[in-house]
Amino acid sequence: MGLQATLKAAWLVGALSLAVYRPNSLTICLALFFSLLAFLTTRGRDLFVVLALSLSFLLYFLVDHKALDRQANLPEEKGRLYTILAYPDERTINTDGRVAGIGRLKSSGDRVYYYYQVKTPEDLARLRSSAGPTLITGRGDLTPIMPATNFYQFDFKEFAKTKRITHQVRLQEVELRADHSRTWFDRMNTQFHRWHAALSNYAKALPNPVGNYALALLLGSKDQTLYDDNPKIQELGLIHLFSLSGFHVAFLLAVVRRIGRLIGLYQEITLAIMALCLISFYWLTACPPILVRAVIAGESRVLAQAFNRRFSSIQIWSWSLLLTLIVHPQILLTLGGQLSFFLTLALALLPEEWSTWQKGLFLSVLTFPLIVAQQYTWNIWQSFANLIAIPVFSLVILPVVLVAFCGQVVPGLATVANWLVTMFDRSVYWLGNLPGQIVIGALPWPILLVLGFAPWFLLGAEKAGRRWGVGTWLIALIIGFFLVHFPKTGEFTTFDIGQGDAALLREPYNKTITLIDTGGKVSFQKSGFSDQKATKNKPYEKQSWPKNQEGQARSVIVPYLHAHGISRINTLSLSHQDQDHLGDARVILTTFQVDQVLLPAGMTNQPAFLKKIQPYLGKAKVVSVTDRVQPANLPLQVLHPFQPGIGENEDSIALGGRVGPLVLFTAGDLDQAGEKKVLARYPNFRPDLVKFGHHGSKTATNPTVMAEWQPTYGLISAGRKNRYGHPNQEVLEVAAKQKMIVYDTRRQGMLRYVYENYKKGHFQVKSTNDLTNSKTTN
């Protein structure tokens, strides 16, 4: 098969994998486009080979997808006895003894996430001392992984499916015993897991950040604190540097080749060692999907050199993609897989006469739609960061991390290495904090297609063609930008953030943006114990504690606002001082430009304001409100409180006003007495849409008030299986008596009322299935 036919086959098979595992308008269009391209531009024997190869892969994908669907449709089971095969390098142990990991059910072989709470320090010590595979037996609940319950939220369920995981098991009492491998393959696999676990523990003994860098760069075991401590790594698009890819494999091969030359080995022996090292490295890093491409490419080059053959970069890339799709059919559904294959193909096709800055700019433009499609933002310093970081990684960071890892026993060496890595880490953080982050938004998929394909046509085009290509790309971006930032519809949206409250009022064309409460994580005393050893070995956890105390604002509210092109919030209204209403105000205030923060009058003297809001205000103006104060740029009217208080439930801010054709009433945790006072002071106020107070508690939603108002719709924001029993049955009976149509975040996820004008509007919910039937992992 010719060079071009090989490339077309790889592209077509990749598009087919996307269409089979994630069917939507975009992936189906991609599959049809590459099918048409292959048929129109391929002739003779090459066409037959491309067709046969594509149909073979399509059949393979369909069979595999059916098996995955079978696994995903397993029923929820409770209180059953499960035995899970688990490896020490595939689990984490929290400081309070909570264990989470990936294992295989002995009954079916299906991969699952498992969780349980260690009861005693003795059990924890036994678990830590287990260096081999462990059989964990205990009673627990097998539940499907919860899908994303908000629009534009990261879908952990779909991400887990790329790892062939569809369920989770929460165990109670457990029994641990060693698993004795029987076959030679099991014994080899076990040994590599042992080595990986031992090396990971060895890396964790290093100070951070060099310890986290060693885990990520050498062992493929990224600790989440790597990104928690420096989120600019993701914002600047440097995440691909921390994925085990060709960048690291090339470094490994170069080291082996250099050692072979230094000790005078024959070239054939060196090449054999290099081939063996690649396979061993793959097993030693726990077989990450992203490494398959690099290993296949590396082995191809080693074999070509050994047998004096010459393979083009395009051929190696095509074979790598095809073979990777056999091992991991969903690799192109992950951002890491997309970046890895797109960047390596681009590097193979880039004209040699292009300068370094031209190549860097092209690669940034190429990855732009991939990153924006998932993050909705773009940092203008991304190209510069990659141009600087790549050579620095190659010449400094990788060698320094390797020396620190191997030379821990040398006094002071790890400290010096950590200082160098810290300087790099701080430089990334400093660069990421420079003004330059642009909120692009969730671009329509036709725009993403143009942005994704246009750069490829620049590679072989003449000057005139390049101008047309650049012009097309810019015009598509401008059109997409305006469609996102100036939508003709408005909305009132209730976020599904668990047991808390957060809502968005966005006027058409994003005229004003009002965020009402932010949600927050409410902590309760949990059983367990403090693992002093884990705390001592992870001093960086103290740096990350604010994020550990966050609710879901960063994973739910922030991406939703960014997807709608929102970088500035006109009004942040915090109804009162409860944690589940303002606990994540810090996230909003530090992520967005906020013009004004509304608080119930008298709350600025309370600890909740002084500790959780005031330190993060920046340029935001604080407005203490009663119903006699009507802030600017607020499309709703303040109906409560009537006088200053201290920010308790009875002091909650109540807002009312028109949202398209409906009149809205929302009032935080305002009690029944407060609702009656609002009715008495504003007798002509008649809401059509009521957000039930206090998450549907019987302390709110006064029957007399509802009978007088006779609203058509009711909204409930409450957590699934919450300990308070919200919403209360009495409230639901009041709603039924008034024949209200009730929407509930517990059952339907995010609730949106979208309107175009004052005559037309409709409700949207994230899920039409009852979400209370499964446990959430969010």
Side-chain angles (χ1 to χ4, degrees), residues 298-333:
E299 292 286 7
S300 299
R301 291 188 173 90
V302 170
L303 291 174
Q305 190 174 356
F307 294 98
N308 199 23
R309 296 288 300 274
R310 182 164 184 165
F311 301 130
S312 72
S313 299
I314 301 301
Q315 286 177 309
I316 293 176
W317 182 90
S318 301
W319 297 337
S320 299
L321 176 57
L322 293 173
L323 292 174
T324 302
L325 287 171
I326 294 176
V327 182
H328 297 285
Q330 300 184 68
I331 187 66
L332 293 180
L333 292 174

Side-chain angles (χ1 to χ4, degrees), residues 338-374:
Q338 293 167 7
L339 289 174
S340 177
F341 281 101
F342 266 62
L343 290 174
T344 49
L345 178 60
L347 289 171
L349 295 174
L350 282 176
E352 294 182 3
E353 65 270 16
W354 281 17
S355 63
T356 302
W357 74 266
Q358 286 177 315
K359 293 179 180 179
L361 181 60
F362 178 82
L363 294 177
S364 294
V365 171
L366 190 66
T367 58
F368 176 87
L370 299 177
I371 294 176
V372 168
Q374 298 202 30

Side-chain angles (χ1 to χ4, degrees), residues 87-90 131 188-198 286:
Y87 290 96
D89 58 331
E90 293 183 330
M188 182 182 68
N189 188 41
T190 295
Q191 187 58 56
F192 274 108
H193 275 287
R194 288 177 183 270
W195 288 339
H196 186 247

Side-chain angles (χ1 to χ4, degrees), residues 687-703:
D688 307 292
L689 173 62
V690 171
K691 191 164 183 291
F692 289 159
H694 207 174
H695 320 288
S697 167
K698 64 182 180 180
T699 62
T701 315
N702 188 291

Side-chain angles (χ1 to χ4, degrees), residues 295-517:
V295 169
I296 293 171
E299 292 286 7
S300 299
R301 291 188 173 90
V302 170
L303 291 174
Q305 190 174 356
F307 294 98
N308 199 23
R309 296 288 300 274
R310 182 164 184 165
F311 301 130
S312 72
S313 299
I314 301 301
Q315 286 177 309
I316 293 176
W317 182 90
S318 301
W319 297 337
S320 299
L321 176 57
L322 293 173
L323 292 174
T324 302
L325 287 171
I326 294 176
V327 182
H328 297 285
Q330 300 184 68
I331 187 66
L332 293 180
L333 292 174
T334 65
L335 180 59
Q338 293 167 7
L339 289 174
S340 177
F341 281 101
F342 266 62
L343 290 174
T344 49
L345 178 60
L347 289 171
L349 295 174
L350 282 176
E352 294 182 3
E353 65 270 16
W354 281 17
S355 63
T356 302
W357 74 266
Q358 286 177 315
K359 293 179 180 179
L361 181 60
F362 178 82
L363 294 177
S364 294
V365 171
L366 190 66
T367 58
F368 176 87
L370 299 177
I371 294 176
V372 168
Q374 298 202 30
Q375 297 183 359
Y376 314 119
T377 62
W378 182 258
N379 197 306
I380 63 174
W381 298 106
Q382 203 162 83
S383 301
F384 178 77
N386 276 275
L387 285 174
I388 298 299
I390 289 176
V392 170
F393 248 70
S394 177
L395 300 174
V396 180
I397 300 301
L398 266 174
V400 165
V401 171
L402 182 62
V403 168
F405 180 78
C406 298
Q408 282 194 55
V409 294
V410 180
L413 185 60
T415 302
V416 174
N418 193 58
W419 180 84
L420 290 171
V421 173
T422 300
M423 292 301 101
F424 174 81
D425 215 44
R426 288 179 179 176
S427 299
V428 170
Y429 190 80
W430 172 83
L431 185 61
N433 275 329
L434 293 177
Q437 188 181 43
I438 303 173
V439 176
I440 305 295
L443 299 174
W445 68 263
I447 299 293
L448 289 173
L449 275 181
V450 174
L451 297 177
F453 280 113
W456 295 103
F457 292 101
L458 300 178
L459 294 176
E462 300 295 335
K463 277 192 175 182
R466 290 178 184 176
R467 292 194 193 99
W468 278 103
V470 172
T472 301
W473 195 91
L474 290 174
I475 290 172
L477 177 59
I478 292 171
I479 292 174
F481 187 87
F482 274 90
L483 287 175
V484 171
H485 285 252
F486 301 98
K488 64 178 182 179
T489 59
E491 65 179 293
F492 179 74
T493 294
T494 300
F495 295 98
D496 177 19
I497 54 167
Q499 186 63 18
D501 249 334
L504 169 70
L505 175 57
R506 181 181 59 79
E507 288 190 294
Y509 304 102
N510 285 357
K511 180 182 177 182
T512 63
I513 306 297
T514 304
L515 187 63
I516 304 171
D517 290 330

Side-chain angles (χ1 to χ4, degrees), residues 577 600-606 625-626 641-648 650-652:
Q577 66 175 349
M603 189 179 137
T604 53
N605 297 321
Q606 301 304 310
V625 300
T626 65
F642 303 144
Q643 64 275 329
I646 58 173
E648 297 289 350
E650 58 269 22
D651 303 318
S652 291

